[in-house]
Amino acid sequence: MLPPSQSRSVLEPALDRNSLKITPPASWASLPNKGQLAIITSIRVVDFFQIASLQACMYKHLESFNTSSTPNSTSAQVGFLQGAFTATQTLSAIWWGRVADTAGRKPVLLIGLIGTSISYIGVAFSRSYKALLIWRIFAGSINGTIGAARATLAESVSQEYHPRAFLLLPLAFNLANTFGPILGVSLADPVERYPALFGQNSVFGGLDGVAWMLRYPYAAPNFLGALLLSLDAVVVWLCLRETAPNRRSRQDYGLKRGFSLRSRFGCLLGRRRGYGTLRNIDNSYRRDPDDRESHVMASNGPVTEMATKKTMHLRRIWGRNFLLALLTTAVLDLHLGGLSSLWPLFLSSPHRNAKDPTTLPFYFTGGLGFQLSQVGLALAILGILGLSMQLVLYPRVIAKHGLLYPFRLSLWLYPIAYVLTPYLSLLPFDSAGLIWLGILVVQAGQVVGRTFALPATILLLNYSCPHPSLLGSVHGIGSSVSGTSRTLGSIMAGAFDNVGLENKMSGLAWWIFALISIFGCLLSFVVRDNLDE
């Protein structure tokens, strides 16, 4: 475990252990290494962006080349595609964590970004369920960015800034969930959506329309995701510092090239900005003159203040606190995995058939029957709510109450939201305002829970690390457990949803996940006791 001087609770970055309050709270303006943090955030934004964009269009993508499928079979395929990605990401996460500890965080991030970009080009040209499945499996196996990004973030700032810095990860999630569905849906099936531009006798389509858009109507959103991933890989190579203790002092040719390009650009503009002459770049590229607090990375937080030459065996990870942190993460991600599959399906599923028998409170069928544009808007609302709460509500609440108390309370919002969601399908179809009000209510519960729960569970894992040489492995294992839980959640969602539809009980899956989330609420009481040991 960490030395006594560094063993304070993950949910208590200040010294007030009894109340677990942050005194004083770290502000956004006080965060060091802002450039480094911005790049790490961009990695998670583009990674979440392509997932959000893909999920918003996947149901319609499958329907476009499989017109004979039923809503039940399409829903199951969507669940298995999501499960295939998270399953392979899970199986490879521990290995990528070890690579991040030995070869460095930066190579793992670059491989993940470039490999995932290639996979989305494959998805763009896929016209069968098997092809989509193969490319999703490839994307999951090559994408080890989660653990490496978390480890880099932890090593980029000192411990007192961790609660604020780790909020950037769910902030990235909500930012991607805001724009991913909107852009993905707006680019999907452009011939149908923008006939004057791409259809027959159009500006760009000629007499017959744009041929590749007609054959691959859902390629454009995937091209955008691939482009963003590739551009971010370039930024990482040129600008991101390596933070792994055993690799930090080694020469970084990408960073050197980045400083060279920036220096040349500054010279062209007639501004030296303190970069020095090109002859001095070789000796100065490691130190970012625009980041006056870059020295923090040399001695930041409970991990990097320890000796970096020593290593520790992987078996030393499995302490009580780490196991409790894993269990907390597993339960949370299990029902979040189910939510990520159930919510788009519920929005896209056809309206309740008036001929189907309805016996309240449990026996009824149907979804909201939204069009693709409405699905994108509903998913975007989820991201907008998350951004608002994380930028406005979260800092005020943790400054007053710390993280633990809001964490425990926010978890109870999940079962409430899960229980209520299926009943939205019973609202009158012609009452759009009432339906959207119901969507806002249940999404608000989801967002508040995510806002306070996700940073806390990541911090639990981070501070259960017994040695800096194992930080990548800790987050790799955490990512693996998270991925396993999300995979199971996605598969369970599809299976329970099918069972529910067959038995005229469309809320079955939602209510099962409500019970699972209640177990997570109860587990949060146990976690506190062990953190304070």
Side-chain angles (χ1 to χ4, degrees):
M1 298 303 295
L2 300 175
S5 61
Q6 302 293 342
S7 61
R8 69 173 80 129
S9 168
V10 62
L11 302 181
E12 181 201 359
L15 297 178
D16 189 354
R17 175 174 297 277
N18 293 326
S19 61
L20 291 176
K21 292 183 179 180
I22 300 175
T23 311
S27 64
W28 292 113
S30 66
L31 282 176
N33 294 320
K34 293 181 180 63
Q36 183 91 348
L37 296 178
I39 297 173
I40 299 168
T41 304
S42 73
I43 295 170
R44 302 309 301 140
V45 168
V46 297
D47 204 10
F48 287 132
F49 177 91
Q50 44 90 12
I51 295 174
S53 176
L54 186 68
Q55 286 180 339
C57 302
M58 184 57 70
Y59 190 92
K60 299 297 183 182
H61 191 168
L62 287 166
E63 282 189 335
S64 68
F65 56 73
N66 194 8
T67 55
S68 62
S69 64
T70 64
N72 288 11
S73 62
T74 303
S75 298
Q77 288 179 342
V78 171
F80 278 113
L81 286 172
Q82 178 63 22
F85 173 79
T86 51
T88 48
Q89 190 176 49
T90 294
L91 294 174
S92 62
I94 297 177
W95 184 80
W96 283 120
R98 294 304 291 166
V99 173
D101 282 335
T102 55
R105 324 294 189 209
K106 193 170 179 177
V108 173
L109 294 172
L110 288 172
I111 292 171
L113 291 169
I114 295 172
T116 308
S117 174
I118 294 172
S119 76
Y120 275 83
I121 295 175
V123 169
F125 293 110
S126 295
R127 287 186 52 80
S128 70
Y129 171 69
K130 290 183 179 179
L132 285 172
L133 186 63
I134 290 172
W135 283 113
R136 293 303 287 157
I137 290 173
F138 173 76
S141 62
I142 203 72
N143 191 325
T145 58
I146 297 177
R150 289 179 180 179
T152 305
L153 185 65
E155 293 164 335
S156 296
V157 295
S158 56
Q159 179 179 348
E160 63 186 289
Y161 297 105
H162 280 177
R164 180 77 65 162
F166 273 94
L167 179 62
L168 293 172
L169 300 180
L171 193 67
F173 175 86
N174 284 306
L175 186 64
N177 262 5
T178 301
F179 297 103
I182 292 176
L183 292 177
V185 168
S186 65
L187 293 176
D189 201 0
V191 174
E192 179 70 22
R193 188 172 294 275
Y194 311 108
L197 293 176
F198 307 109
Q200 295 179 353
N201 300 313
S202 63
V203 176
F204 301 107
L207 294 177
D208 301 321
V210 180
W212 69 269
M213 290 183 177
L214 289 169
R215 181 168 176 79
Y216 307 104
Y218 293 91
N222 292 288
F223 288 156
L224 176 62
L227 176 63
L228 293 177
L229 288 162
S230 300
L231 292 176
D232 206 53
V234 174
V235 173
V236 169
W237 184 60
L238 294 176
C239 303
L240 186 70
R241 300 187 196 91
E242 178 59 69
T243 62
N246 62 327
R247 307 290 295 186
R248 186 184 301 137
S249 60
R250 299 198 179 190
Q251 192 175 46
D252 188 330
Y253 292 100
L255 197 62
K256 179 179 178 180
R257 175 59 61 183
F259 274 105
S260 176
L261 291 174
R262 291 165 62 183
S263 179
R264 290 178 186 273
F265 183 71
C267 290
L268 289 175
L269 293 178
R271 297 182 303 163
R272 302 302 291 273
R273 298 181 63 186
Y275 282 99
T277 63
L278 295 178
R279 290 176 295 177
N280 295 329
I281 290 296
D282 186 64
N283 296 324
S284 62
Y285 74 92
R286 293 187 186 89
R287 184 167 47 87
D288 188 347
D290 279 340
D291 193 345
R292 298 173 184 174
E293 296 175 331
S294 60
H295 65 277
V296 174
M297 293 175 59
S299 59
N300 62 338
V303 175
T304 56
E305 288 174 356
M306 302 166 66
T308 60
K309 294 184 179 181
K310 297 181 181 180
T311 60
M312 185 175 290
H313 197 276
L314 186 62
R315 65 174 178 267
R316 296 292 300 275
I317 285 180
W318 306 101
R320 185 181 183 185
N321 282 352
F322 181 64
L323 292 175
L324 284 170
L326 282 182
L327 182 58
T328 303
T329 300
V331 174
L332 178 65
D333 283 302
L334 181 65
H335 63 80
L336 287 181
L339 173 64
S340 66
S341 293
L342 286 176
W343 185 239
L345 288 177
F346 179 72
L347 294 173
S348 303
S349 297
H351 287 301
R352 175 171 51 90
N353 191 334
K355 297 181 180 179
D356 288 339
T358 299
T359 305
L360 296 178
F362 300 119
Y363 291 94
F364 56 91
T365 60
L368 296 184
F370 276 9
Q371 298 298 317
L372 191 59
S373 59
Q374 293 173 304
V375 173
L377 177 59
L379 295 177
I381 289 174
L382 190 67
I384 294 172
L385 288 173
L387 285 173
S388 302
M389 291 184 182
Q390 287 170 344
L391 292 175
V392 179
L393 179 64
Y394 177 88
R396 296 172 183 266
V397 172
I398 64 168
K400 185 176 181 180
H401 301 289
L403 287 178
L404 181 59
Y405 182 66
F407 166 64
R408 291 168 59 186
L409 285 182
S410 64
L411 290 178
W412 289 99
L413 295 175
Y414 281 114
I416 296 173
Y418 294 161
V419 167
L420 294 178
T421 297
Y423 293 100
L424 295 179
S425 65
L426 298 177
L427 297 176
F429 300 153
D430 56 353
S431 181
L434 188 60
I435 291 176
W436 281 105
L437 178 61
I439 289 174
L440 286 173
V441 170
V442 297
Q443 285 193 333
Q446 300 170 19
V447 168
V448 173
R450 183 181 289 120
T451 297
F452 292 100
L454 287 182
T457 53
I458 296 172
L459 286 168
L460 283 167
L461 285 171
N462 190 71
Y463 282 90
S464 66
C465 179
H467 193 269
S469 65
L470 297 175
L471 186 60
S473 297
V474 163
H475 285 293
I477 294 172
S479 175
S480 179
V481 169
S482 175
T484 300
S485 299
R486 286 181 181 262
T487 301
L488 291 175
S490 180
I491 295 174
M492 289 166 59
F496 291 143
D497 191 52
N498 278 335
V499 173
L501 291 175
E502 291 173 358
N503 292 275
K504 309 301 181 183
M505 194 176 182
S506 59
L508 177 63
W510 290 98
W511 300 327
I512 290 176
F513 283 111
L515 294 175
I516 293 173
S517 64
I518 289 174
F519 174 71
C521 297
L522 299 176
L523 181 63
S524 66
F525 291 92
V526 180
V527 173
R528 176 182 179 178
D529 294 337
N530 286 279
L531 282 173
D532 287 338
E533 286 182 350

